[in-house]
Amino acid sequence: MLVILPLTLLWGYKKVQTVFVQPQAILVLGGSTKSLEREKFTAKFAKKHPNLPIWISGGSPKGVTKKVFSKAGIDSQRLYLDYRAENTVENFTTLVDDLKKRGVKKLYLVTSDYHMPRASVIGEIVLGSRGIDFQKVSVPSQNSSEPVEKSIRDGVRSIVWVATGFGGGKK
């Protein structure tokens, strides 16, 4: 009981706190298809949040990505394009310290609906390790959800990264 009560209070405090903290950035996970669903969706979403910087990890080439946002009327100064990640775990590990340095405490996490369960597991571990919370924004698709094994595998990889710094990609 002495352990459960403080943990419950801490969890409750964290949940209440996240309700009052508004997202300060948009993080888009790369890996979109040739039709650029994630980029196009995010460009529309970003118009509703005109003061938020947009971090894009991986994905389409710079020129193509910038063109999507330019066509939507999004200022390119809001875009932070990062191509260090080679997989979903690295989408988070290569950017988390940059986000932390900029004082981001909460962000919108944008990825495809079928990819969101795995991205959420990784985000809870990697972003959470730096005190960053996120609100999920799923891009609709026709794909079925990824196998749960991928979430378990990448959850373990994320824990290893938090504990050792190993396996987090190029900084």
Side-chain angles (χ1 to χ4, degrees), residues 17-116:
Q17 182 184 23
T18 63
V19 170
F20 296 107
V21 175
Q22 293 298 310
Q24 300 154 292
I26 300 169
L27 172 59
V28 186
L29 302 186
S32 190
T33 64
K34 289 180 184 176
S35 55
L36 307 169
E37 292 100 352
R38 293 181 192 173
E39 289 86 346
K40 290 176 181 176
F41 178 93
T42 302
K44 288 179 189 171
F45 183 78
K47 288 181 85 149
K48 297 174 188 169
H49 305 280
N51 298 319
L52 299 182
I54 305 158
W55 295 74
I56 303 174
S57 179
S60 304
K62 282 184 183 181
V64 175
T65 299
K66 285 184 176 183
K67 186 181 262 185
V68 168
F69 285 89
S70 175
K71 267 181 125 173
I74 304 296
D75 185 352
S76 65
Q77 300 284 33
R78 292 177 61 193
L79 299 178
Y80 295 87
L81 306 177
D82 188 283
Y83 293 93
R84 294 174 289 175
E86 295 180 10
N87 56 61
T88 305
V89 172
E90 291 178 3
N91 285 140
F92 291 95
T93 60
T94 57
L95 286 177
V96 68
D97 289 329
D98 295 336
L99 293 164
K100 177 78 175 171
K101 283 178 194 167
R102 292 181 184 260
V104 174
K105 293 184 184 343
K106 186 173 183 178
L107 54 79
Y108 289 110
L109 175 62
V110 180
T111 192
S112 301
D113 54 4
Y114 66 88
H115 187 243
M116 188 59 80

Side-chain angles (χ1 to χ4, degrees), residues 29 38 88-89 92 109-125 134 136-139 141 143-156 158:
L29 302 186
R38 293 181 192 173
T88 305
V89 172
F92 291 95
L109 175 62
V110 180
T111 192
S112 301
D113 54 4
Y114 66 88
H115 187 243
M116 188 59 80
R118 179 162 56 114
S120 294
V121 168
I122 300 165
E124 286 288 340
I125 297 165
F134 61 91
K136 298 181 247 185
V137 181
S138 296
V139 179
S141 76
N143 298 348
S144 53
S145 289
E146 296 176 323
V148 71
E149 293 84 8
K150 282 185 159 186
S151 295
I152 294 168
R153 177 201 65 204
D154 285 353
V156 170
S158 299

